[in-house]
Amino acid sequence: MSSKPVIRFFLTLITLAVLLIPPYTDGVLAQEPTPQPTAGGAVYVVQPGDSLWSIALRFRVSIQALTAANGISNADQLNVGDRLVIPGLEGIRGTLTTQIVPFGETLRSLSRRYRTPVETLVRLNHLTSPGELYAGVNLVIVEGETPATPGRRRTLAPGQSLLELAIQDGVSPWVYLLNNDIKSAAVAAPGDVLLLPQSEATNPAEESPAASPAAMPAAMPAAMPDAIQKVQLTPLPLVQGKAVVIEIFGEKDLQLGGSLNERPLNFFFDAETGSYVSLQGIHAMAEPGLYPLVISATLPGGAQFAFSQSVFVEAGDYVYDPVLTVSPETIDPAVTRPEDAQWAALTAPVTPEKLWQGVFQSPAPPPYSDCWPSRFGSRRSYNGSAYIYFHTGLDFCGGVGTDILAPAAGRVVFAGPLTVRGNATVIDHGWGVYTGYLHQSEILVQVGDLVQPGQVIGKVGGTGRVTGPHLHWEVWVGGVQVDPMDWLLQPYPR
Ligand SMILES: [Zn+2]
């Protein structure tokens, strides 16, 4: 007798069992069918890092209202990708998601980009003033159609009509209306950032400036000049103790400048990426919050622009070291301040030649290359002081006499003894990037030497104010110490 009918019988039974028995889950959220958006309702897709509490806070609804609307009984069962109905957003249809606001966008330009009315963005994000729209803020948007095709940015000058701008660009005003989801030309306002699709863009070299110096307002324009197409900040939000890479894509021969929290920015043209790049360190103890970023540009014709927007700096992930006990003169400002000033002054000049390439190699040879007794940024208290100090470098294992290697090409700008830092070397890698080597037993380079990656530049020691011999390695960017680990893990500018 064939066994096939028997097998088929059991397969049918198993199929029925699968269909009839609900899958085992220990949380109601995973068990309940995904709530479908009610008519006119808005659905939020749970993002990594979200909790019911953070979602409730974001949409200003109570946790009770949120759980009731979604039939949730176990808040621990919230999964990334779950779709939650947000109560109280009647009239807003679609899927809500979050987007980090890039530098240089306004509420109006974001409204066009995401084809969402300004009023909806304001309502979704409970914005009360334009100042709340800063670079790095996590903005709730309605995910709908494909975002508008990125293209060249154009800005309406005061007194300029959309028709005039269109004539200047040699395109029909309808191109602007259609590409920017504007219902009528009268809706466009001065300072609005409009997108002109790449294929419609005129050759920038042939273009008469959209805003002649005479037509430009004396005050800061509300949007980026059209000569600048994009300003990219990496990372965004900015992070304490990390270097930010500011990359500007725009027309040729721009003279760019600016400041980040009043620290001047220096831009260099990067032929590899065709962008202007500025690197700036964020102080490890900078208070998390908003800081002004100003970008200024002088066009080849001489017209000048400046654009300012707040950017968000978030806290880094730094530990608190146990209270350290040192001899009091080690932290005596009379001793430390002059040397700190001398040390900072060494890293202040910004040389235009970029000497490094890609990722830095470890300044310590194997087996010490990835042995770190103390990391950058840890908060420190000396002799019971407040935690007002931080570890300014990355410490490497290795005893007296261990080789110290240049992590990248650069020019030696300091080599000599210091009271606190001991025998120290500073190397300039260009573009405002410096590295420092402290407490050496021997220095094997001289000021002016051009060093190559892997070159032995000194020996580990215990000179200066140390508890034991080790290499303390610092990386400076734009006059600020940053986490050297980042430079061992990723290439800069990218
Ligand atoms: Zn150290």
Side-chain angles (χ1 to χ4, degrees):
M1 180 186 149
S2 165
S3 62
K4 273 184 185 168
V6 178
I7 291 172
R8 200 171 297 140
F9 172 74
F10 276 107
L11 278 179
T12 310
L13 266 189
I14 291 166
T15 310
L16 276 175
V18 168
L19 287 174
L20 294 174
I21 302 168
Y24 168 77
T25 48
D26 60 355
V28 169
L29 186 67
Q31 192 177 321
E32 292 287 315
T34 307
Q36 293 304 309
T38 50
V43 167
Y44 176 73
V45 179
V46 176
Q47 306 288 312
D50 277 343
S51 64
L52 269 186
W53 181 80
S54 71
I55 296 167
L57 195 69
R58 168 167 290 152
F59 293 103
R60 315 262 171 112
V61 295
S62 69
I63 289 184
Q64 290 77 2
L66 201 55
T67 51
N70 293 278
I72 301 169
S73 64
N74 184 351
D76 298 336
Q77 286 300 310
L78 198 63
N79 298 307
V80 171
D82 279 350
R83 298 166 68 82
L84 296 183
V85 172
I86 305 298
L89 288 179
E90 286 72 25
I92 298 178
R93 286 167 183 274
T95 304
L96 307 176
T97 183
T98 57
Q99 192 76 34
I100 300 277
V101 172
F103 183 79
E105 296 289 352
T106 65
L107 212 48
R108 293 185 72 98
S109 69
L110 289 169
S111 155
R112 298 212 168 101
R113 181 180 291 242
Y114 296 111
R115 297 171 191 268
T116 305
V118 167
E119 299 73 35
T120 305
L121 289 177
V122 167
R123 192 173 155 207
L124 282 174
N125 294 281
H126 302 272
L127 299 173
T128 54
S129 87
E132 289 173 44
L133 191 82
Y134 52 84
V137 68
N138 216 357
L139 198 74
V140 179
I141 57 159
V142 183
E143 211 173 41
E145 303 161 50
T146 333
T149 331
R152 224 152 59 72
R153 301 164 61 104
R154 303 289 277 131
T155 312
L156 271 186
Q160 189 179 35
S161 73
L162 200 62
L163 181 64
E164 286 169 321
L165 185 68
I167 290 169
Q168 217 160 51
D169 286 338
V171 298
S172 155
W174 285 104
V175 170
Y176 280 122
L177 298 187
L178 293 173
N179 274 285
N180 296 280
D181 209 21
I182 311 173
K183 289 185 184 65
S184 141
V187 175
D192 274 4
V193 178
L194 303 174
L195 291 169
L196 182 61
Q198 231 27 282
S199 58
E200 306 278 1
T202 52
N203 181 350
E206 296 166 5
E207 174 203 337
S208 60
S212 62
M216 279 310 298
M220 222 170 245
M224 206 80 68
D226 57 292
I228 292 176
Q229 280 133 31
K230 190 168 123 191
V231 178
Q232 192 169 298
L233 308 185
T234 313
L236 185 65
L238 279 44
V239 186
Q240 287 178 330
K242 292 190 178 285
V244 59
V245 180
I246 305 171
E247 218 178 343
I248 296 185
F249 297 86
E251 290 178 9
K252 272 186 241 162
D253 303 320
L254 291 177
Q255 283 190 20
L256 294 167
S259 62
L260 177 56
N261 196 28
E262 290 170 8
R263 221 167 236 290
L265 297 174
N266 295 279
F267 283 91
F268 300 99
F269 189 73
D270 185 356
E272 277 176 42
T273 57
S275 59
Y276 303 86
V277 175
S278 179
L279 296 164
Q280 180 58 53
I282 308 299
H283 197 279
M285 305 280 275
E287 199 61 44
L290 294 175
Y291 291 85
L293 171 59
V294 179
I295 301 292
S296 57
T298 305
L299 307 188
Q304 293 186 332
F305 295 93
F307 179 85
S308 177
Q309 191 174 34
S310 295
V311 292
F312 191 67
V313 173
E314 66 179 22
D317 188 15
Y318 302 118
V319 299
Y320 282 78
D321 285 343
V323 174
L324 296 166
T325 306
V326 294
S327 58
E329 70 268 21
T330 307
I331 51 168
D332 179 2
V335 177
T336 58
R337 280 211 187 125
E339 193 179 302
D340 287 350
Q342 183 190 358
W343 191 245
L346 288 168
T347 63
V350 177
T351 51
E353 198 188 351
K354 176 176 168 282
L355 297 172
W356 87 92
Q357 289 293 328
V359 183
F360 280 12
Q361 71 171 66
S362 177
Y368 308 116
S369 42
D370 52 3
C371 174
W372 309 291
S374 181
R375 299 285 193 99
F376 171 87
S378 57
R379 277 44 175 144
R380 288 184 166 177
S381 155
Y382 291 109
N383 302 343
S385 75
Y387 275 86
I388 52 169
Y389 303 93
F390 73 101
H391 188 217
T392 55
L394 176 63
D395 289 352
F396 283 86
C397 309
V400 176
T402 301
D403 285 345
I404 299 171
L405 315 172
R411 197 171 295 281
V412 177
V413 294
F414 180 83
L418 294 169
T419 311
V420 181
R421 291 166 177 81
N423 292 325
T425 302
V426 175
I427 299 174
D428 178 7
H429 302 281
W431 286 19
V433 177
Y434 288 82
T435 50
Y437 310 79
L438 279 66
H439 313 309
Q440 301 171 81
S441 57
E442 256 185 283
I443 297 175
L444 300 173
V445 287
Q446 290 180 337
V447 170
D449 285 359
L450 184 65
V451 297
Q452 295 304 326
Q455 182 179 331
V456 179
I457 58 165
K459 303 278 186 187
V460 172
T463 55
R465 304 274 163 80
V466 288
T467 46
H470 69 278
L471 169 64
H472 170 101
W473 183 47
E474 294 189 356
V475 176
W476 290 72
V477 178
V480 175
Q481 287 130 329
V482 296
D483 190 349
M485 192 72 80
D486 293 337
W487 292 73
L488 296 176
L489 295 175
Q490 67 178 84
Y492 282 89
R494 64 174 157 128

